[in-house]
């Protein structure tokens, strides 16, 4: 693939070290790491000064429109370790009619459903699996609500790494099947994603699996960070006023926040930041509850349920990083009902022709609620995230049937 000219094999990256997201304690790069000593996520740090001297936004503009165009800001050292299914830049699409319904002209959606395996989990997993390959991992294991497992399986197949995947037994059927089709061993578990995570932890002890759970290894964030780099570049190095992000483990929100800090340090953007809005479902809203109560950590949400499986995450190891970004940005956390989610999905498809996944629908429902209560104004430029292709999810059958052999009243069609 064209990545051979994207990365010369001998060139070191600009990674200097890793750092505990909670304590700031330093860890060496180029070694296999999970969580930090205090059990919190590790963040990759770069020599941004040297990086800024080596590459400019004008250089980027010459490169292929994919995630690897940001290679200097990514951790993979050697091109031959890159696995890829074509992680193309995703478009920003205006929801004109839905926006106009609330008097807004700048309602935008970053449509992540165009990525390999049909979701933005591809961004995180292409990075995590490339790094797993680089660091010599032979078997990965992960808990998933569906899309992460699908992306992990796909890239693991390419890397020649064994993948063992655990999902709640009510995970969308298509996800369970695509995981298996892409060569992973997949198990349906009678529990939620954090229960699946406990099985991964036990299997790690027993079998030496590498734990690829959200934020329990350092590189999925780096992959998700490219959403922030990409949207900044697409919008001419100007950030929107507000970003609505459907928050499960929060990797994307944390990753974008990190991206913005790195871009400002490089001088590619100014100090203006979007208000970051963490969107959850009313049936599983641990981050919203913690935000409302002014807590830095979120307690587990019992009996979690929602149609938006991707954000059914009762407890997140990166809770404080999500909450810090929401607060530092002057944003907020908001929960929406399943009914509002489904209505939003229907409206975006019917009015603007964009088929959202339920989690994407949640961001639209949250925007509507925030317009209604005045937390967001219709004049603001708002970016919603559609994280997966709507085609992966069940749709109502609204078709009618015709008998081609009988008389047809065309005036009634
Ligand atoms: C994983 C997932 C989310 C949540 O993303 P995080 O970055 O883990 O919070 C939202 N929507 C979909 C479709 C997902 O697969």
């Amino acid at each position: 693939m064209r990545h051979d000219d994207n990365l010369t094999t001998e060139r070191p990256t600009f990674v200097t070290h890793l750092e505990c997201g909670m304590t700031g304690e330093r860890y060496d790069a180029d070694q296999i790491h999970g969580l930090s000593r205090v059990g919190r996520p590790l963040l990759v740090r770069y020599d941004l000064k040297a990086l800024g001297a080596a590459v400019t936004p004008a250089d980027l503009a010459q490169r292929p429109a994919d995630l690897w165009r940001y290679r200097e800001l990514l951790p993979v050292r050697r091109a031959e370790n890159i696995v890829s299914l074509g992680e193309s830049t995703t478009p920003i699409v205006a929801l004109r009619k839905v926006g106009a319904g609330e008097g807004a002209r700048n309602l935008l959606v970053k449509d992540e459903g165009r990525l390999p395996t049909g979701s933005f989990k591809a961004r995180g997993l292409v990075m995590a699996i490339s790094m797993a390959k680089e660091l010599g991992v032979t078997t990965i294991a992960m808990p998933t609500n569906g899309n992460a497992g699908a992306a992990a399986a796909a890239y693991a197949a390419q890397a020649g790494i064994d993948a063992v995947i655990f999902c709640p037994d009510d995970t969308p059927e298509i996800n369970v099947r695509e995981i298996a089709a892409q060569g992973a061993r997949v198990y349906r578990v009678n529990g939620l994603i954090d229960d699946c995570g406990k099985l991964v932890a036990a299997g790690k002890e027993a079998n030496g699996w590498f734990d690829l759970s959200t934020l329990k290894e350092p590189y999925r964030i780096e992959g998700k960070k490219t959403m922030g780099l990409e949207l900044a570049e697409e919008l001419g190095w100007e950030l929107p006023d507000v970003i609505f992000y459907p928050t499960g483990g929060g990797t994307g929100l944390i990753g974008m926040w990190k991206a913005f800090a790195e871009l400002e340090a490089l001088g590619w953007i100014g100090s203006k930041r979007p208000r970051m809005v963490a969107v959850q479902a009313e049936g599983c809203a641990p981050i919203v509850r913690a935000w409302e109560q002014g807590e830095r950590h979120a307690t587990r949400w019992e009996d979690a349920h929602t149609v938006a499986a991707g954000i059914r995450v009762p407890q997140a190891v990166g809770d404080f990083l999500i909450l810090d970004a929401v607060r530092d940005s002057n944003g907020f956390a908001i929960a929406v009902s399943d009914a509002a989610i489904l209505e939003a999905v229907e409206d975006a498809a019917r009015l603007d022709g964009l088929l959202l996944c339920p989690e994407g629908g949640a961001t639209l429902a949250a925007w509507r609620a925030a317009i209604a209560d005045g937390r967001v104004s219709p004049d603001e430029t708002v970016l919603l995230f559609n994280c997966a292709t709507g085609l992966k999810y069940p749709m109502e059958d609204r078709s009618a049937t015709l008998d081609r052999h009988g008389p047809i009243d065309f005036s009634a069609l």
Side-chain angles (χ1 to χ4, degrees):
M1 285 212 41
R2 60 191 180 205
H3 301 304
D4 294 341
D5 34 87
N6 265 356
L7 280 175
T8 60
T9 48
E10 299 306 324
R11 188 182 52 72
T13 66
F14 294 89
V15 174
T16 53
H17 63 283
L18 278 57
E19 201 175 280
C20 173
M22 184 114 125
T23 65
E25 187 187 2
R26 290 174 69 108
Y27 292 75
D28 289 341
D30 305 309
Q31 289 177 11
I32 296 181
H33 290 293
L35 290 169
S36 74
R37 247 177 289 273
V38 296
R40 292 293 172 175
L42 289 174
L43 303 174
V44 181
R45 297 300 180 201
Y46 299 82
D47 181 349
L48 294 173
K49 206 162 169 221
L51 200 163
V55 62
T56 66
D59 298 327
L60 294 185
Q62 306 301 314
R63 296 179 180 174
D66 68 20
L67 166 160
W68 301 102
R69 71 201 265 112
Y70 305 109
R71 63 194 185 233
E72 286 88 352
L73 281 156
L74 297 173
V76 184
R77 290 212 192 266
R78 299 178 70 87
E80 66 262 31
N81 294 322
I82 289 181
V83 291
S84 174
L85 292 162
E87 295 69 36
S88 305
T89 301
T90 64
I92 291 176
V93 181
L95 285 183
R96 287 186 215 289
K97 291 190 196 160
V98 169
E102 317 293 332
R105 279 188 297 121
N106 297 309
L107 181 61
L108 307 172
V109 177
K110 189 149 173 66
D111 188 12
E112 297 279 292
R114 324 280 178 111
L115 284 159
T117 71
S119 86
F120 67 4
K121 289 296 192 304
R123 292 186 189 268
L125 272 310
V126 75
M127 210 57 59
I129 299 280
S130 295
M131 288 305 293
K133 185 175 173 201
E134 187 153 278
L135 297 171
V137 169
T138 54
T139 306
I140 62 98
M142 75 184 300
T144 183
N145 279 327
N147 288 319
Y155 291 113
Q158 215 181 72
I161 291 175
D162 268 352
V164 193
I165 311 286
F166 301 87
C167 57
D169 51 13
D170 60 351
T171 296
E173 192 60 31
I174 189 150
N175 288 137
V176 183
R177 294 188 184 207
E178 65 178 325
I179 293 167
Q182 289 156 186
R185 302 198 287 284
V186 57
Y187 299 94
R188 303 176 201 247
V189 177
N190 50 347
L192 292 175
I193 189 167
D194 52 350
D195 300 310
C196 295
K198 285 177 195 142
L199 294 179
V200 169
K204 177 182 171 182
E205 288 303 312
N207 295 354
W209 296 336
F210 183 67
D211 184 349
L212 218 62
S213 306
T214 300
L215 298 176
K216 290 191 183 165
E217 60 73 60
Y219 303 111
R220 284 175 64 180
I221 295 188
E222 294 305 294
K224 279 278 197 86
K225 184 179 86 176
T226 60
M227 292 190 297
L229 304 173
E230 204 175 283
L231 74 89
E233 189 181 8
E234 284 172 297
L235 298 174
W237 305 107
E238 275 278 331
L239 302 181
D241 297 313
V242 194
I243 290 180
F244 282 77
Y245 187 79
T247 306
T251 331
L253 194 149
I254 297 165
M256 282 191 278
W257 196 243
K258 183 172 188 284
F260 300 152
E262 290 172 359
L263 289 175
E264 186 181 355
L266 287 166
W268 296 2
I269 61 169
S271 59
K272 180 196 155 182
R273 290 285 187 285
R275 306 206 295 291
M276 304 296 283
V277 179
V279 178
Q280 299 199 303
E282 282 177 359
C284 183
I287 297 296
V288 179
R289 182 170 62 193
W291 180 77
E292 284 171 351
Q293 295 175 350
E295 304 286 349
R296 190 159 188 238
H297 291 285
T299 48
R300 185 174 196 270
W301 190 276
E302 299 302 328
D303 303 320
H305 60 88
T306 166
V307 289
I311 52 175
R312 192 180 62 172
V313 178
Q315 189 152 34
V317 65
D319 52 2
F320 66 106
L321 294 171
I322 301 168
L323 288 159
D324 285 356
V326 167
R327 292 193 176 109
D328 290 353
S329 72
N330 211 12
F332 54 94
I334 179 171
V336 291
S337 70
D338 279 6
I341 290 174
L342 295 174
E343 190 185 341
V345 169
E346 280 196 31
D347 290 349
R350 195 182 64 255
L351 296 171
D352 284 300
L354 189 63
L355 193 59
L356 304 173
C357 62
E359 298 78 4
T363 65
L364 175 55
W367 173 76
R368 284 173 159 172
I371 289 282
D373 69 18
R375 282 194 272 188
V376 172
S377 112
D379 306 329
E380 292 185 292
T381 301
V382 171
L383 189 69
L384 311 178
F385 268 84
N386 184 46
C387 331
T389 169
L391 292 172
K392 279 201 190 190
Y393 301 86
M395 276 167 257
E396 296 260 336
D397 180 10
R398 297 225 178 77
S399 62
T401 312
L402 274 186
D403 176 7
R404 69 191 170 89
H405 300 299
I408 293 174
D409 175 5
F410 281 92
S411 69
L413 298 186

